[in-house]
C-alpha cells in the first residue's frame, strides 16, 4: 500500500443462500461468523476514521502478510506515517461477496474508498480520492476474528490541486503482467482553455521504504495523449504507474511574461506482476483499464 494511501473497511450485510444444512455448514455457523466478521470490519472503519492506531492494528493477526509482501511491522509503519500526514481521511467500503472456507477462514471481496480535502495553500484547494478492488482474508484466532492477509486486484489514487481537480484524467495500463513483460501506459486529459500543460508517466515498484520515481516532464502533445513504454520488473514485485500533471497560465503585462501555476496533481494506478498469467492472454488488451 502506497505511503499516502490506506483503505480500510465498513462491512455491509450479506445474505447467505444455497448452503448445505447441518454439521459444519449449518446456517447457524455462517450467521454467527458473518456477524463476527461484520463486527471486526466495522471496528476497523470506526478506528480508522478516528485515527485510533492501537485499536486499528489490533484487528490484524500478528502473522499478517499482504499481497505486496508487507508484514504487520511494515504495515503498521505505513499506517502511522499516513495518519501523521493526513489525519482527516474518511474511509468506506462496499461488499461484493463473502465466503467461508472449510477450515473456517473467511474471504471478503470488496471495494474500498477513501477521500480527504488536502489544500496546499489558502488559495489552492486539493483533494485525495482512492478506490481499490480488494480481497481480505480473515481467521478466528482465540475466539476473535483477525485479518490475516489481503491483496489488491485493482487500485486508483488521485491527488489533485487547483484547476487539476476538474480534469477528466484517463490513465491506463494492463491490469496484470508477467515479470519482464513489455507494456504501455497511456495518459489523456484535456487541459483548460489558455493553459499550458506538462505531464510525465513514471513506474515505481511497490516496496518499503518507497523510492521516489524519476519524473521526466514533457509538454502535453496536441492530441492530449502521452504514452510511455515500460518493462515489468523481474523481482515479482507489484508496480505503480504514476502520472504527474502541471498546469500554468501566462500573464502578459508591460512586455513581460509571468507564468503562474494554476493546478497540479497525480494519478496513480496499480499493475500487478503475476507469474501465472500467460502472456498470450494479455495480447488482446482485454485487461487494460482506464482509471
Amino acid at each position: 500500500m502506497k505511503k499516502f494511501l490506506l483503505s480500510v473497511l465498513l462491512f455491509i450485510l450479506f445474505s447467505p443462500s444455497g448452503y448445505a444444512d447441518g454439521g459444519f455448514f449449518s446456517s447457524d455457523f455462517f450467521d454467527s461468523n458473518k456477524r463476527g466478521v461484520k463486527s471486526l470490519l466495522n471496528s476497523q472503519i470506526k478506528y480508522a476514521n478516528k485515527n485510533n492506531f492501537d485499536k486499528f492494528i489490533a484487528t490484524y493477526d500478528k502473522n499478517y502478510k499482504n499481497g505486496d509482501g508487507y508484514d504487520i511491522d511494515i504495515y503498521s509503519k505505513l499506517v502511522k506515517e499516513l495518519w501523521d500526514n493526513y489525519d482527516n481521511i474518511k474511509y468506506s467500503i462496499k461488499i461484493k461477496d463473502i465466503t467461508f472456507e472449510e477450515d473456517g477462514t473467511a474471504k471478503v471481496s470488496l471495494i474500498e474508498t477513501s477521500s480527504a480535502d488536502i489544500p496546499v495553500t489558502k488559495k489552492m484547494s486539493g483533494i485525495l480520492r482512492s478506490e481499490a478492488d480488494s480481497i481480505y482474508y480473515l481467521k478466528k484466532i482465540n475466539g476473535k476474528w483477525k485479518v490475516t492477509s489481503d491483496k489488491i486486484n485493482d487500485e486508483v489514487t488521485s491527488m489533485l490541486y487547483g484547476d487539476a481537480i476538474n480534469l477528466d484524467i484517463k490513465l491506463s495500463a494492463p491490469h496484470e503482467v508477467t515479470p519482464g513483460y513489455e507494456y504501455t501506459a497511456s495518459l489523456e486529459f484535456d487541459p483548460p482553455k489558455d493553459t499550458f500543460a506538462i505531464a510525465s508517466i513514471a513506474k515505481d515498484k511497490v516496496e518499503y521504504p518507497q523510492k521516489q520515481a524519476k519524473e521526466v516532464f514533457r509538454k502535453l502533445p496536441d492530441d492530449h495523449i502521452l504514452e510511455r513504454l515500460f518493462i515489468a520488473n523481474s523481482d515479482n514485485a507489484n508496480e505503480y504507474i504514476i502520472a504527474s500533471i502541471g498546469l500554468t497560465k501566462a500573464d502578459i503585462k508591460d512586455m513581460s511574461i509571468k507564468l503562474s501555476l494554476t493546478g497540479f496533481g497525480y494519478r496513480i494506478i496499480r499493475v500487478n506482476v503475476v507469474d501465472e498469467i500467460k502472456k498470450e492472454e494479455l495480447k488482446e488488451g482485454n485487461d487494460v483499464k482506464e482509471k
Side-chain angles (χ1 to χ4, degrees):
M1 190 146 325
K2 201 75 174 175
K3 57 179 177 291
F4 50 74
L5 170 65
L6 172 69
S7 296
V8 292
L9 313 176
L10 169 63
F11 195 86
I12 62 176
L13 290 175
F14 176 84
S15 300
S17 62
Y19 292 122
D21 292 329
F24 184 85
F25 294 98
S26 68
S27 61
D28 288 342
F29 171 83
F30 285 106
D31 287 342
S32 63
N33 279 284
K34 276 184 289 188
R35 287 195 297 269
V37 169
K38 179 182 176 181
S39 177
L40 182 280
L41 298 180
N42 275 330
S43 295
Q44 281 198 329
I45 195 71
K46 179 179 69 174
Y47 298 145
N49 282 325
K50 291 182 177 181
N51 293 163
N52 190 325
F53 175 81
D54 291 336
K55 289 188 176 181
F56 176 77
I57 290 300
T59 63
Y60 288 83
D61 178 41
K62 64 180 181 180
N63 295 316
Y64 165 87
K65 191 171 186 179
N66 68 19
D68 292 323
Y70 296 165
D71 60 19
I72 191 62
D73 291 333
I74 294 177
Y75 185 70
S76 297
K77 291 178 181 178
L78 286 168
V79 173
K80 195 161 191 327
E81 288 176 7
L82 176 75
W83 290 352
D84 284 346
N85 287 281
Y86 303 102
D87 59 1
N88 63 334
I89 302 177
K90 299 302 179 184
Y91 304 94
S92 63
I93 185 176
K94 181 178 180 180
I95 293 295
K96 296 195 298 181
D97 188 30
I98 178 172
T99 57
F100 288 91
E101 305 298 332
E102 292 187 9
D103 60 0
T105 58
K107 177 183 176 181
V108 184
S109 300
L110 45 93
I111 301 295
E112 305 171 277
T113 59
S114 57
S115 62
D117 293 327
I118 47 173
V120 65
T121 66
K122 290 182 179 180
K123 294 184 178 181
M124 185 175 288
S125 60
I127 61 169
L128 182 152
R129 300 286 186 269
S130 72
E131 181 174 298
D133 182 347
S134 306
I135 297 176
Y136 273 60
Y137 301 92
L138 299 92
K139 183 178 181 180
K140 188 175 284 188
I141 300 171
N142 296 326
K144 295 182 178 181
W145 285 101
K146 301 283 186 180
V147 176
T148 58
S149 184
D150 56 66
K151 66 179 182 179
I152 302 174
N153 296 322
D154 197 14
E155 181 181 14
V156 55
T157 300
S158 298
M159 297 180 71
L160 303 172
Y161 301 86
D163 289 348
I165 292 176
N166 299 316
L167 292 178
D168 181 16
I169 302 171
K170 297 179 176 66
L171 179 62
S172 61
H175 176 54
E176 292 180 327
V177 298
T178 53
Y181 183 79
E182 188 174 79
Y183 66 93
T184 299
S186 176
L187 171 67
E188 180 179 3
F189 66 93
D190 294 327
K193 186 178 179 181
D194 299 325
T195 298
F196 181 78
I198 60 173
S200 75
I201 305 176
K203 178 172 73 76
D204 198 0
K205 286 196 298 186
V206 182
E207 59 185 353
Y208 186 86
Q210 195 71 48
K211 297 178 181 178
Q212 182 68 42
K214 184 177 180 180
E215 297 177 318
V216 179
F217 282 92
R218 298 179 175 86
K219 178 185 178 297
L220 190 68
D222 292 339
D223 62 1
H224 300 161
I225 299 174
L226 183 66
E227 293 185 331
R228 188 171 175 188
L229 187 66
F230 294 109
I231 298 177
N233 72 87
S234 300
D235 301 326
N236 292 322
N238 297 322
E239 299 179 347
Y240 282 114
I241 298 299
I242 306 166
S244 304
I245 295 167
L247 304 174
T248 62
K249 281 189 176 181
D251 182 19
I252 303 176
K253 185 177 182 180
D254 298 330
M255 301 300 293
S256 64
I257 299 176
K258 180 181 179 182
L259 291 177
S260 59
L261 182 68
T262 61
F264 67 98
Y266 310 91
R267 175 64 60 87
I268 303 153
I269 61 176
R270 169 180 286 260
V271 175
N272 286 329
V273 180
V274 186
D275 270 338
E276 55 266 27
I277 296 296
K278 296 179 181 179
K279 289 185 179 180
E280 55 265 29
E281 294 176 355
L282 303 175
K283 289 181 180 178
E284 298 300 323
N286 292 328
D287 61 336
V288 173
K289 297 184 178 181
E290 286 188 348
K291 313 295 184 181

